[in-house]
Short mmCIF file of all heavy atoms in Angstrom, two decimals:
data_model
loop_
_atom_site.label_atom_id
_atom_site.label_comp_id
_atom_site.label_asym_id
_atom_site.label_seq_id
_atom_site.Cartn_x
_atom_site.Cartn_y
_atom_site.Cartn_z
N ASN A 19 -46.32 26.15 20.50
CA ASN A 19 -46.01 26.95 19.32
C ASN A 19 -45.14 26.18 18.35
O ASN A 19 -44.28 25.42 18.75
CB ASN A 19 -45.29 28.24 19.72
CG ASN A 19 -46.19 29.18 20.49
OD1 ASN A 19 -47.41 29.06 20.40
ND2 ASN A 19 -45.60 30.09 21.25
N ASN A 28 -43.36 46.79 6.26
CA ASN A 28 -44.29 47.71 5.63
C ASN A 28 -44.72 47.21 4.25
O ASN A 28 -45.77 47.57 3.77
CB ASN A 28 -43.66 49.11 5.48
CG ASN A 28 -43.43 49.75 6.83
OD1 ASN A 28 -44.09 49.39 7.79
ND2 ASN A 28 -42.52 50.70 6.88
N THR A 34 -45.04 33.78 7.64
CA THR A 34 -44.38 32.78 8.46
C THR A 34 -43.32 32.07 7.64
O THR A 34 -43.59 31.56 6.57
CB THR A 34 -45.40 31.75 8.97
OG1 THR A 34 -46.42 32.44 9.67
CG2 THR A 34 -44.75 30.75 9.88
N PHE A 35 -42.10 32.03 8.16
CA PHE A 35 -41.00 31.34 7.50
C PHE A 35 -40.69 30.06 8.25
O PHE A 35 -40.55 30.09 9.49
CB PHE A 35 -39.75 32.23 7.47
CG PHE A 35 -39.89 33.44 6.61
CD1 PHE A 35 -40.30 34.64 7.15
CD2 PHE A 35 -39.64 33.36 5.25
CE1 PHE A 35 -40.45 35.76 6.36
CE2 PHE A 35 -39.78 34.48 4.45
CZ PHE A 35 -40.19 35.68 5.00
N THR A 60 -31.83 -19.88 -13.42
CA THR A 60 -32.77 -20.07 -12.32
C THR A 60 -32.11 -20.41 -11.00
O THR A 60 -32.55 -19.95 -9.96
CB THR A 60 -33.78 -21.18 -12.68
OG1 THR A 60 -34.29 -20.92 -13.97
CG2 THR A 60 -34.91 -21.23 -11.70
N ASN A 68 -36.72 -21.00 -7.83
CA ASN A 68 -35.39 -21.36 -7.38
C ASN A 68 -35.47 -21.92 -5.96
O ASN A 68 -35.56 -21.18 -4.99
CB ASN A 68 -34.46 -20.15 -7.42
CG ASN A 68 -33.04 -20.50 -7.03
OD1 ASN A 68 -32.73 -21.62 -6.64
ND2 ASN A 68 -32.16 -19.52 -7.12
N ASP A 72 -33.80 -20.06 -0.29
CA ASP A 72 -34.96 -20.12 0.59
C ASP A 72 -35.14 -18.81 1.37
O ASP A 72 -34.39 -17.85 1.20
CB ASP A 72 -34.87 -21.32 1.52
CG ASP A 72 -33.67 -21.26 2.46
OD1 ASP A 72 -33.04 -20.19 2.60
OD2 ASP A 72 -33.38 -22.29 3.09
N LYS A 78 -31.08 -13.20 5.05
CA LYS A 78 -29.65 -12.92 5.25
C LYS A 78 -29.16 -11.92 4.21
O LYS A 78 -28.36 -11.03 4.53
CB LYS A 78 -28.85 -14.23 5.17
CG LYS A 78 -27.42 -14.07 5.60
CD LYS A 78 -27.35 -13.73 7.07
CE LYS A 78 -25.92 -13.65 7.55
NZ LYS A 78 -25.82 -13.20 8.92
N LEU A 79 -29.66 -12.02 2.98
CA LEU A 79 -29.30 -11.07 1.92
C LEU A 79 -29.74 -9.66 2.31
O LEU A 79 -28.96 -8.70 2.22
CB LEU A 79 -29.94 -11.49 0.60
CG LEU A 79 -29.80 -10.53 -0.58
CD1 LEU A 79 -28.34 -10.34 -0.95
CD2 LEU A 79 -30.60 -11.07 -1.77
N LEU A 80 -30.95 -9.53 2.77
CA LEU A 80 -31.46 -8.22 3.18
C LEU A 80 -30.65 -7.66 4.35
O LEU A 80 -30.28 -6.48 4.37
CB LEU A 80 -32.94 -8.33 3.55
CG LEU A 80 -33.63 -7.04 3.96
CD1 LEU A 80 -33.59 -6.02 2.84
CD2 LEU A 80 -35.07 -7.34 4.35
N ILE A 83 -27.16 -6.53 3.02
CA ILE A 83 -27.25 -5.29 2.25
C ILE A 83 -27.44 -4.11 3.20
O ILE A 83 -26.84 -3.05 3.01
CB ILE A 83 -28.39 -5.38 1.22
CG1 ILE A 83 -27.97 -6.30 0.09
CG2 ILE A 83 -28.76 -4.01 0.69
CD1 ILE A 83 -29.10 -6.59 -0.89
N GLY A 96 -12.45 -2.08 2.97
CA GLY A 96 -11.38 -2.41 3.90
C GLY A 96 -11.75 -3.47 4.93
O GLY A 96 -10.89 -3.93 5.67
N TYR A 97 -13.01 -3.88 4.96
CA TYR A 97 -13.43 -4.93 5.89
C TYR A 97 -12.75 -6.25 5.52
O TYR A 97 -12.43 -6.49 4.35
CB TYR A 97 -14.94 -5.17 5.81
CG TYR A 97 -15.85 -4.10 6.38
CD1 TYR A 97 -17.21 -4.18 6.15
CD2 TYR A 97 -15.38 -3.04 7.13
CE1 TYR A 97 -18.09 -3.23 6.66
CE2 TYR A 97 -16.25 -2.09 7.64
CZ TYR A 97 -17.59 -2.19 7.40
OH TYR A 97 -18.45 -1.26 7.90
N GLN A 101 -16.60 -10.27 6.05
CA GLN A 101 -17.56 -9.27 6.49
C GLN A 101 -17.91 -8.25 5.40
O GLN A 101 -18.97 -7.66 5.42
CB GLN A 101 -17.01 -8.50 7.69
CG GLN A 101 -16.82 -9.37 8.90
CD GLN A 101 -16.12 -8.60 10.02
OE1 GLN A 101 -15.98 -7.38 9.97
NE2 GLN A 101 -15.68 -9.32 11.03
N GLU A 104 -15.09 -8.80 -1.53
CA GLU A 104 -13.88 -9.46 -2.02
C GLU A 104 -13.89 -9.36 -3.55
O GLU A 104 -14.91 -9.58 -4.19
CB GLU A 104 -13.90 -10.92 -1.58
CG GLU A 104 -12.83 -11.77 -2.13
CD GLU A 104 -12.96 -13.23 -1.67
OE1 GLU A 104 -14.02 -13.63 -1.13
OE2 GLU A 104 -12.00 -13.96 -1.88
N ILE A 106 -12.86 -10.68 -7.23
CA ILE A 106 -12.54 -11.94 -7.90
C ILE A 106 -12.36 -11.62 -9.40
O ILE A 106 -13.26 -11.02 -10.00
CB ILE A 106 -13.68 -12.98 -7.75
CG1 ILE A 106 -14.01 -13.23 -6.28
CG2 ILE A 106 -13.35 -14.27 -8.48
CD1 ILE A 106 -12.95 -13.97 -5.50
N ARG A 114 -23.20 -16.60 -16.32
CA ARG A 114 -23.81 -16.07 -17.54
C ARG A 114 -24.45 -14.73 -17.19
O ARG A 114 -25.46 -14.67 -16.49
CB ARG A 114 -24.85 -17.05 -18.08
CG ARG A 114 -25.28 -16.72 -19.49
CD ARG A 114 -26.13 -17.82 -20.08
NE ARG A 114 -27.44 -17.81 -19.43
CZ ARG A 114 -28.17 -18.88 -19.22
NH1 ARG A 114 -27.74 -20.06 -19.57
NH2 ARG A 114 -29.35 -18.78 -18.65
N ILE A 115 -23.83 -13.66 -17.66
CA ILE A 115 -24.28 -12.30 -17.34
C ILE A 115 -25.57 -11.99 -18.10
O ILE A 115 -25.72 -12.35 -19.26
CB ILE A 115 -23.19 -11.27 -17.69
CG1 ILE A 115 -21.97 -11.49 -16.81
CG2 ILE A 115 -23.71 -9.84 -17.53
CD1 ILE A 115 -20.81 -10.57 -17.13
N GLU A 118 -29.17 -7.97 -20.98
CA GLU A 118 -29.56 -6.56 -20.89
C GLU A 118 -28.51 -5.72 -20.16
O GLU A 118 -28.32 -4.54 -20.45
CB GLU A 118 -30.91 -6.44 -20.19
CG GLU A 118 -31.50 -5.06 -20.21
CD GLU A 118 -32.84 -4.99 -19.49
OE1 GLU A 118 -33.44 -6.04 -19.18
OE2 GLU A 118 -33.28 -3.86 -19.24
N GLY A 123 -24.94 -0.93 -21.51
CA GLY A 123 -23.70 -0.19 -21.34
C GLY A 123 -23.21 -0.16 -19.90
O GLY A 123 -22.11 0.30 -19.62
N GLU A 129 -16.19 -1.73 -12.86
CA GLU A 129 -14.81 -2.16 -12.66
C GLU A 129 -14.62 -3.53 -13.30
O GLU A 129 -15.57 -4.27 -13.50
CB GLU A 129 -14.50 -2.20 -11.16
CG GLU A 129 -14.63 -0.84 -10.52
CD GLU A 129 -14.50 -0.87 -9.01
OE1 GLU A 129 -14.03 -1.88 -8.45
OE2 GLU A 129 -14.86 0.13 -8.38
N ILE A 144 -22.70 -12.30 -5.99
CA ILE A 144 -21.70 -11.89 -6.96
C ILE A 144 -22.27 -10.74 -7.78
O ILE A 144 -23.41 -10.79 -8.23
CB ILE A 144 -21.31 -13.07 -7.87
CG1 ILE A 144 -20.74 -14.20 -7.02
CG2 ILE A 144 -20.32 -12.62 -8.95
CD1 ILE A 144 -20.54 -15.50 -7.74
N ILE A 151 -22.69 1.98 -7.10
CA ILE A 151 -23.77 1.02 -7.35
C ILE A 151 -23.21 -0.39 -7.44
O ILE A 151 -22.32 -0.67 -8.24
CB ILE A 151 -24.53 1.35 -8.64
CG1 ILE A 151 -25.14 2.75 -8.55
CG2 ILE A 151 -25.63 0.31 -8.90
CD1 ILE A 151 -25.77 3.22 -9.84
N PHE A 152 -23.74 -1.27 -6.60
CA PHE A 152 -23.39 -2.68 -6.64
C PHE A 152 -24.51 -3.39 -7.39
O PHE A 152 -25.62 -3.52 -6.88
CB PHE A 152 -23.25 -3.24 -5.22
CG PHE A 152 -22.70 -4.63 -5.17
CD1 PHE A 152 -21.41 -4.88 -4.76
CD2 PHE A 152 -23.49 -5.72 -5.53
CE1 PHE A 152 -20.90 -6.17 -4.70
CE2 PHE A 152 -22.99 -7.02 -5.48
CZ PHE A 152 -21.69 -7.23 -5.06
N TYR A 153 -24.21 -3.82 -8.61
CA TYR A 153 -25.20 -4.55 -9.41
C TYR A 153 -25.13 -6.02 -9.00
O TYR A 153 -24.14 -6.69 -9.24
CB TYR A 153 -24.91 -4.41 -10.90
CG TYR A 153 -25.15 -3.03 -11.43
CD1 TYR A 153 -24.09 -2.15 -11.63
CD2 TYR A 153 -26.44 -2.59 -11.72
CE1 TYR A 153 -24.32 -0.87 -12.12
CE2 TYR A 153 -26.68 -1.31 -12.20
CZ TYR A 153 -25.61 -0.46 -12.40
OH TYR A 153 -25.84 0.81 -12.87
N ILE A 157 -26.86 -14.90 -7.06
CA ILE A 157 -26.81 -15.38 -5.68
C ILE A 157 -26.37 -16.84 -5.78
O ILE A 157 -26.99 -17.63 -6.49
CB ILE A 157 -28.17 -15.23 -4.99
CG1 ILE A 157 -28.49 -13.74 -4.89
CG2 ILE A 157 -28.16 -15.86 -3.61
CD1 ILE A 157 -29.89 -13.40 -5.09
N PRO A 159 -25.95 -19.91 -3.71
CA PRO A 159 -26.17 -20.63 -2.45
C PRO A 159 -25.37 -21.93 -2.33
O PRO A 159 -25.18 -22.44 -1.24
CB PRO A 159 -27.66 -20.91 -2.45
CG PRO A 159 -28.03 -20.95 -3.89
CD PRO A 159 -27.11 -19.98 -4.58
N TYR A 164 -17.56 -20.26 -8.60
CA TYR A 164 -16.11 -20.20 -8.74
C TYR A 164 -15.48 -21.02 -7.62
O TYR A 164 -16.09 -21.23 -6.58
CB TYR A 164 -15.58 -18.76 -8.76
CG TYR A 164 -15.74 -18.00 -7.47
CD1 TYR A 164 -14.74 -18.01 -6.50
CD2 TYR A 164 -16.87 -17.22 -7.23
CE1 TYR A 164 -14.87 -17.29 -5.32
CE2 TYR A 164 -17.02 -16.51 -6.05
CZ TYR A 164 -16.01 -16.55 -5.11
OH TYR A 164 -16.15 -15.84 -3.95
#
Side-chain angles (χ1 to χ4, degrees):
N19 292 339
N28 293 337
T34 303
F35 293 93
T60 311
N68 183 356
D72 62 14
K78 190 66 176 174
L79 174 62
L80 182 60
I83 287 172
Y97 288 171
Q101 296 174 11
E104 173 182 14
I106 304 290
R114 194 171 72 212
I115 295 177
E118 188 180 347
E129 298 173 15
I144 300 170
I151 301 173
F152 188 107
Y153 291 101
I157 295 143
Y164 66 91

